[in-house]
Amino acid sequence: MASLFEEEITCFADLILPVPIPSLFTYRVPREMTDMIKTGARVIVQFGQKRVITAVVAHLHTNPPVKYQAKYILELLDEEPIVTSKQLELFKWVAEYYLCNIGEVMNVALPAGLKITSQSKIQFNPEFEYEELLTDQEIMILDAIKKQDALSYEEVERLVQKSNITAIIKSLVAKRAVILFEEVKERYKPKVARKIRLTPAFLSNDSLIQLTTSLDKFPKQQEILMRYLSYVPVYNHPELNQKGLDKSFFSQENGFSESALQTLIKKGVLEPFEIFVSRFDDIPSGNLTEITLTESQQTASSQIHNLFQEKEVVLLHGITGSGKTEVYIELIRKVLAGGSQVLFLLPEIALTTQIVVRLRKVFGDTMGIYHSKFSDNERVEVWKGILDGKFQFVVGVRSAIFLPFDNLGLIIVDEEHETSYKQYDPAPRYNARDVAVIMSYMHKGKTLLGSATPSLESYYHAKTGRYGLVEMTQRFGNAVLPSFELINTKLEKKQKKMKNEFSSVLLEHIRNNISNKEQTILFQNRRGYSPYLQCEECNWISQCANCDVSLTYHLKAGELRCHYCGHKEEVPRTCPSCGSPRVKTMGYGTEKIEDELHIIFPEARVLRMDLDTTRAKNAYQQIIQEFEEGGIDILVGTQMVSKGLDFDNVSMVGIFDADRIIHFPEFRASERAFQMLTQVSGRAGRRADKPGKVLIQTSNPAQQLLERIVTNDYVGMYETEILEREQYQYPPFTRLIKLTVKHPDEATSRRAADQLAQKLTVNLGKSRVLGPEAPLVDRVRNQFLFDILIKLEREKINFKAAKSFIQEKVTDILTDKTLKSIHIIIDVDCV
Ligand code: ADP
Ligand code: ZN
Ligand code: ZN
């Protein structure tokens, strides 16, 4: 009977584990934990033989697993859930939709600081008897442990100055000299400020006077006390003592004696204490300038409001500089006032710019910021801040959709067309814009998509009535869109007017701009100095050893780099193939343009903004600030310069090599080119008194797409494109799933891809399965790649069923013994 009783109360937990397994894993909840454990809490469990990992409780129940004996949960980390039930629902949806494991979703969602690391440590075995023979090294380690209680593997490595210590440790264990154990620790550490204040005993005026006289004989101590009192006048305001002064204030650099300070602490005059501080204090909140919406902004705002009565999603199509930000702000305020949470998504790069400063001014400390360049501790602070209600409003990059919201009233996706909302690697390969729409459904909230150049998908949904559509067609404050000039480089080349990659017209305009003290932005969508080196004798080209791609020459770094795998090489002085010294740089990137500008305009001040100059945490912000403060004449950059920047003094934008962008071999090329070139152009002439000019260098000014860009004809571009998409069955009429097969051996990779395509064709039919085909760069990191593209009609096909069929066929290949170590990447809604 006892056993029956026990079975009834035995509780099991289905856990999300951060490991690549397709399903949840069931563990047994120890009896003493059953009252406390909640879904959404973190627990520690053992997985496999040795690993101790953090997992999240997805589901509590009383059914023991059928196929395995459930292990006990080792430890419960949270009394209150750190993952909300809405999040669990979302994680599940993402895993199902994007065909990945829920553990992979959790891995991306949780900041590392909320995961627990287990670290192997060694400890002295108190039962050890010195009978065994020990080596010198072993004795050294034992001595160290006895002093320090326990050592991590790394500490042991440092101690014996060896990188492989497993043999030594094994031997120590075998001799029963040490014990191994796993220390589990939380990685998140709140940031603390170390402070000093007067102990409460001296807060009355009498005791304070006594104290000061008693210190007459100790001038150094008295100096510290006096200084403290001059900053914290506790005579008149004893309450100020509570906050104290930063300890660093009394540092030796400031002329104070550390030992005197310590004596005062020892005497009980001063007391040290610590407070937790927020890591976001360095973003200025500044003074709020009250802004009144213009008429067109007001109209847009109320249109959005009205459309939300019937639509879940509204697309705000407003030209560059139309003042979308203020419309967002108005809306955010309303939703926050109604008591719901708001999430504002921005592309990675736009997040460090003016828009955040502006939002900060309006929403102050109640706004959380979630950026991928933030440290892990900062991310944990945002996470916890949302859970405890400090942040009702969060501005963040794509991964911010995984934060612990439980009551989202509104998600804004600014620059919704941006490809950086899509995660390529690792899984989940999600698009945050699309997930945002689903998430709003789950929260019964709304989504606002905003862009000057909407993605074709979103505009299509708006045109066909699924989304609401609001248009803003005027720039703020009577500023007009810039005027365009197309420069025919073919003609200039013939007339020998080009100076390397600069046309005479472009140079002329840059020169004028410099002398007028106006700023210029130059756009070349390729970084590095030149995309390859070539030998003029034998045509040798610099190639990556691991990838099928040329090595880019970087002048400042003095090396050749692969932009696919990161491989680096020295620049050869002579041709590695024939020995000729006539090795030339071919083509040009941002670095070369910068370099030539220095030569042509030695007096001009030039900044460059690309991946190479913005790797450091604040580098991007610094470049923007420097450019904004003036004094800089020219900013050269990749598409980074196009992202939401708002400068007063930029009157000209120059675009190199538009043809390469327009004719990229990809079905989205026209859409992308329109977006990219319109966005870059939008940086010019954002003030009414300074109309802007955009110069585009092209070998064919008659192209239709250029005409569309020049006349800001988004709708024209859309209408041409959407016809083609329909005709060739591309999104938005279909959904695309890309399968990439990878293997170090080309033949094996091809064979696996062929087999996979064949299996898929059986049920899906030939017209829905394209390939396998080697992609543009078909070897990366020594893996040969083959792509299979699956097109599924939006209306006719049961997407879910098709996906599980695809998943099944992928598993067939992965478990095929004749195709060892094949990798297959599944990318749903690939871009
Ligand atoms: P968009 O994001 O649509 O390209 P922004 O929101 O950056 O445009 O606005 C363009 C510029 O106009 C910004 O400098 C902004 O401060 C200014 N602006 C917009 N609306 C107003 C307003 N109602 N009052 C004052 N300035 C405004
Ligand atoms: Zn050669
Ligand atoms: Zn490479």
Side-chain angles (χ1 to χ4, degrees):
M1 287 322 276
S3 69
L4 188 71
F5 180 62
E6 220 179 87
E7 235 171 57
E8 263 172 17
I9 59 157
T10 306
C11 176
F12 293 91
D14 292 347
L15 304 182
I16 308 176
L17 302 180
V19 292
I21 52 168
S23 49
L24 301 177
F25 218 74
T26 307
Y27 281 79
R28 191 188 266 252
V29 181
R31 195 177 305 184
E32 67 277 12
M33 224 181 260
T34 46
D35 288 341
M36 290 182 294
I37 194 164
K38 292 178 182 160
T39 50
R42 291 172 303 160
V43 293
I44 295 179
V45 293
Q46 187 172 3
F47 184 72
Q49 281 303 307
K50 280 194 68 182
R51 270 208 287 176
V52 175
I53 50 183
T54 325
V56 169
V57 180
H59 186 46
L60 290 165
H61 56 85
T62 52
N63 314 314
V66 194
K67 292 191 180 141
Y68 52 93
Q69 179 86 33
K71 280 189 228 160
Y72 275 107
I73 289 173
L74 299 178
E75 219 175 304
L76 174 66
L77 288 177
D78 307 302
E79 282 174 24
E80 291 306 320
I82 62 136
V83 175
T84 66
S85 58
K86 288 268 171 35
Q87 273 179 296
L88 290 172
E89 198 185 337
L90 182 75
F91 293 178
K92 200 166 151 253
W93 184 88
V94 169
E96 275 169 17
Y97 186 87
Y98 291 104
L99 297 179
C100 66
N101 303 317
I102 193 164
E104 290 173 312
V105 182
M106 185 179 76
N107 252 348
V108 167
L110 285 192
L114 289 176
K115 297 172 202 159
I116 301 285
T117 52
S118 75
Q119 196 180 33
S120 299
K121 288 212 166 193
I122 61 171
Q123 203 170 26
F124 183 64
N125 181 359
E127 287 161 29
F128 176 62
E129 287 163 23
Y130 280 88
E131 287 168 358
E132 299 272 356
L133 219 53
L134 295 176
T135 66
D136 287 351
Q137 258 175 352
E138 289 171 343
I139 291 171
M140 185 162 81
I141 294 171
L142 277 195
D143 285 345
I145 302 181
K146 278 190 271 176
K147 270 187 228 138
Q148 282 185 35
D149 186 40
L151 287 181
S152 70
Y153 277 38
E154 290 93 280
E155 286 169 315
V156 177
E157 280 169 11
R158 244 173 285 136
L159 191 69
V160 300
Q161 293 178 2
K162 264 192 185 173
S163 63
N164 195 344
I165 51 160
T166 27
I168 305 177
I169 290 185
K170 259 195 187 151
S171 150
L172 279 168
V173 172
K175 291 171 183 170
R176 296 173 48 83
V178 300
I179 313 171
L180 290 184
F181 74 103
E182 298 269 308
E183 186 191 51
V184 173
K185 62 174 182 188
E186 266 209 77
R187 275 206 239 162
Y188 168 65
K189 285 205 180 62
K191 185 172 169 182
V192 292
R194 303 177 64 198
K195 299 225 156 189
I196 295 283
R197 68 185 163 209
L198 209 58
T199 47
F202 294 101
L203 275 182
S204 76
N205 283 359
D206 283 352
S207 49
L208 200 54
I209 290 166
Q210 251 178 21
L211 173 65
T212 41
T213 39
S214 78
L215 288 180
D216 280 350
K217 278 176 269 154
F218 307 101
K220 280 185 181 158
Q221 294 174 31
Q222 195 163 47
E223 191 189 342
I224 290 175
L225 182 68
M226 287 307 158
R227 186 47 87 88
Y228 182 83
L229 293 175
S230 69
Y231 278 87
V232 188
V234 299
Y235 292 108
N236 302 323
H237 301 284
E239 74 281 359
L240 290 180
N241 189 51
Q242 190 68 16
K243 283 191 172 171
L245 264 191
D246 277 356
K247 180 163 182 281
S248 60
F249 198 88
F250 296 105
S251 66
Q252 262 151 353
E253 292 104 80
N254 290 347
F256 294 98
S257 147
E258 175 66 25
S259 67
L261 181 65
Q262 289 309 327
T263 312
L264 283 172
I265 291 171
K266 232 180 258 157
K267 281 183 180 168
V269 173
L270 295 178
E271 61 181 12
F273 67 105
E274 290 181 342
I275 56 164
F276 295 134
V277 290
S278 162
R279 288 167 212 271
F280 304 106
D281 291 343
D282 51 346
I283 294 171
S285 39
N287 286 335
L288 180 58
T289 35
E290 246 339 298
I291 281 193
T292 20
L293 293 191
T294 63
E295 220 174 284
S296 93
Q297 285 168 327
Q298 237 153 30
T299 313
S301 169
S302 60
Q303 280 175 335
I304 294 168
H305 188 79
N306 292 339
L307 280 166
F308 273 149
Q309 305 302 314
E310 43 179 305
K311 309 271 184 195
E312 307 298 325
V313 184
V314 170
L315 172 64
L316 172 61
H317 176 209
I319 62 168
T320 56
S322 57
K324 294 185 284 297
T325 314
E326 296 304 324
V327 177
Y328 298 147
I329 288 173
E330 169 89 1
L331 217 71
I332 296 167
R333 275 187 168 141
K334 275 193 191 140
V335 177
L336 289 177
S340 302
Q341 297 165 321
V342 177
L343 170 61
F344 189 142
L345 293 179
L346 281 169
E348 175 87 44
I349 197 76
L351 199 57
T352 40
T353 59
Q354 297 124 319
I355 190 162
V356 174
V357 175
R358 171 78 190 121
L359 292 169
R360 189 70 190 233
K361 278 185 183 163
V362 177
F363 297 100
D365 297 342
T366 60
M367 176 179 99
I369 304 172
Y370 203 65
H371 193 284
S372 66
K373 278 193 182 162
F374 279 174
S375 74
D376 213 70
N377 283 330
E378 291 166 319
R379 288 155 163 256
V380 175
E381 265 173 41
V382 177
W383 189 287
K384 296 200 160 162
I386 295 171
L387 282 176
D388 62 29
K390 182 176 168 210
F391 299 132
Q392 282 287 99
F393 173 37
V394 175
V395 183
V397 289
R398 62 167 185 247
S399 57
I401 58 165
F402 294 121
L403 286 167
F405 299 104
D406 59 2
N407 172 30
L408 267 176
L410 174 69
I411 307 178
I412 295 171
V413 186
D414 192 26
E415 312 286 355
E416 64 88 29
H417 63 279
E418 273 284 327
T419 47
S420 63
Y421 284 123
K422 169 80 179 177
Q423 169 149 324
Y424 292 94
D425 231 7
R429 300 185 167 78
Y430 65 100
N431 186 320
R433 175 196 64 209
D434 302 340
V435 176
V437 171
I438 293 299
M439 194 151 90
S440 293
Y441 278 121
M442 291 176 176
H443 287 259
K444 301 193 169 52
K446 304 288 176 186
T447 309
L448 178 65
L449 308 176
S451 175
T453 52
S455 65
L456 233 61
E457 279 93 334
S458 297
Y459 203 71
Y460 173 77
H461 292 322
K463 276 292 181 198
T464 52
R466 245 180 76 180
Y467 298 172
L469 178 62
V470 174
E471 312 243 14
M472 289 170 76
T473 53
Q474 298 296 318
R475 277 193 155 181
F476 169 75
N478 295 326
V480 288
L481 282 175
S483 61
F484 284 80
E485 186 170 341
L486 301 175
I487 303 162
N488 189 336
T489 48
K490 215 174 186 176
L491 199 68
E492 280 224 354
K493 262 181 203 147
K494 223 189 241 161
Q495 298 168 339
K496 303 236 174 328
K497 288 209 270 199
M498 296 283 289
K499 196 165 192 172
N500 293 331
E501 48 282 346
F502 292 87
S503 63
S504 64
V505 183
L506 182 59
L507 283 179
E508 183 62 32
H509 277 88
I510 297 176
R511 187 167 293 119
N512 281 343
N513 246 23
I514 295 174
S515 56
N516 291 341
K517 303 241 175 304
E518 291 178 8
Q519 291 177 305
T520 302
I521 291 180
L522 295 179
F523 171 68
Q524 161 66 348
N525 204 25
R526 178 140 71 183
R527 67 191 168 95
Y529 187 86
S530 69
Y532 59 102
L533 295 181
Q534 188 168 28
C535 168
E536 288 187 308
E537 293 295 342
C538 74
N539 283 340
W540 166 88
I541 283 177
S542 55
Q543 278 274 347
C544 177
N546 312 320
C547 312
D548 181 30
V549 73
S550 65
L551 289 174
T552 301
Y553 174 48
H554 287 254
L555 175 79
K556 268 214 188 89
E559 53 192 19
L560 296 173
R561 286 186 197 158
C562 173
H563 288 182
Y564 280 76
C565 73
H567 170 80
K568 292 174 186 172
E569 272 178 28
E570 261 180 47
V571 183
R573 287 184 55 216
T574 56
C575 170
S577 170
C578 73
S580 156
R582 293 181 55 202
V583 176
K584 283 240 157 121
T585 63
M586 303 297 285
Y588 52 97
T590 44
E591 201 186 1
K592 182 159 188 222
I593 290 176
E594 181 196 14
D595 199 44
E596 284 177 359
L597 284 168
H598 285 310
I599 298 168
I600 305 171
F601 304 110
E603 75 286 3
R605 292 186 55 197
V606 182
L607 282 180
R608 170 161 60 96
M609 180 152 84
D610 55 28
L611 203 63
D612 299 309
T613 61
T614 54
R615 284 184 210 275
K617 181 174 172 184
N618 290 321
Y620 179 74
Q621 222 160 350
Q622 272 162 15
I623 293 176
I624 289 177
Q625 200 177 341
E626 219 176 310
F627 190 65
E628 205 166 30
E629 283 163 2
I632 301 294
D633 299 297
I634 306 170
L635 179 66
V636 184
T638 54
Q639 44 172 321
M640 265 184 201
V641 298
S642 71
K643 313 278 160 140
L645 300 179
D646 184 28
F647 300 115
D648 283 2
N649 198 29
V650 174
S651 57
M652 189 184 90
V653 166
I655 296 170
F656 292 91
D657 209 358
D659 304 335
R660 226 187 82 243
I661 302 168
I662 295 171
H663 299 294
F664 203 73
E666 189 218 34
F667 77 91
R668 275 180 227 270
S670 296
E671 178 189 356
R672 289 277 154 71
F674 185 92
Q675 288 162 343
M676 209 185 274
L677 298 182
T678 303
Q679 293 284 351
V680 181
S681 309
R683 303 313 117 204
R686 291 170 74 93
R687 291 297 165 274
D689 55 343
K690 224 172 253 166
K693 178 143 191 113
V694 179
L695 301 179
I696 301 181
Q697 296 196 155
T698 168
S699 62
N700 178 13
Q703 305 173 75
Q704 192 193 36
L705 191 74
L706 282 176
E707 169 74 19
R708 304 270 199 231
I709 291 167
V710 164
T711 54
N712 191 36
D713 185 8
Y714 174 84
V715 177
M717 182 280 293
Y718 167 80
E719 278 166 358
T720 312
E721 272 304 295
I722 204 80
L723 283 181
E724 289 210 359
R725 297 280 177 95
E726 185 163 24
Q727 190 178 352
Y728 298 104
Q729 285 295 299
Y730 276 105
F733 301 95
T734 51
R735 291 188 162 104
L736 299 183
I737 299 179
K738 187 162 84 183
L739 306 178
T740 304
V741 177
K742 286 189 185 182
H743 196 275
D745 174 53
E746 188 173 7
T748 312
S749 189
R750 183 190 298 274
R751 191 154 54 91
D754 280 341
Q755 283 183 19
L756 180 56
Q758 228 161 27
K759 282 171 188 277
L760 291 167
T761 313
V762 175
N763 276 28
L764 295 174
K766 263 208 162 92
S767 63
R768 295 197 185 93
V769 182
L770 308 186
E773 206 172 282
L776 210 60
V777 177
D778 63 359
R779 187 170 57 104
V780 174
R781 295 174 200 273
N782 284 320
Q783 302 263 342
F784 288 88
L785 313 183
F786 286 93
D787 286 345
I788 298 170
L789 193 65
I790 304 167
K791 288 181 181 175
L792 302 170
E793 302 93 302
R794 236 171 211 281
E795 309 302 335
K796 268 197 273 174
I797 290 225
N798 178 339
F799 196 43
K800 232 180 174 165
K803 277 192 302 190
S804 74
F805 169 74
I806 292 166
Q807 177 104 66
E808 208 175 286
K809 296 302 139 192
V810 167
T811 310
D812 282 357
I813 299 292
L814 290 177
T815 51
D816 185 333
K817 297 247 157 40
T818 67
L819 296 167
K820 264 203 211 128
S821 56
I822 281 278
H823 275 278
I824 300 177
I825 290 168
I826 308 179
D827 188 356
V828 177
D829 293 341
C830 58
V831 286

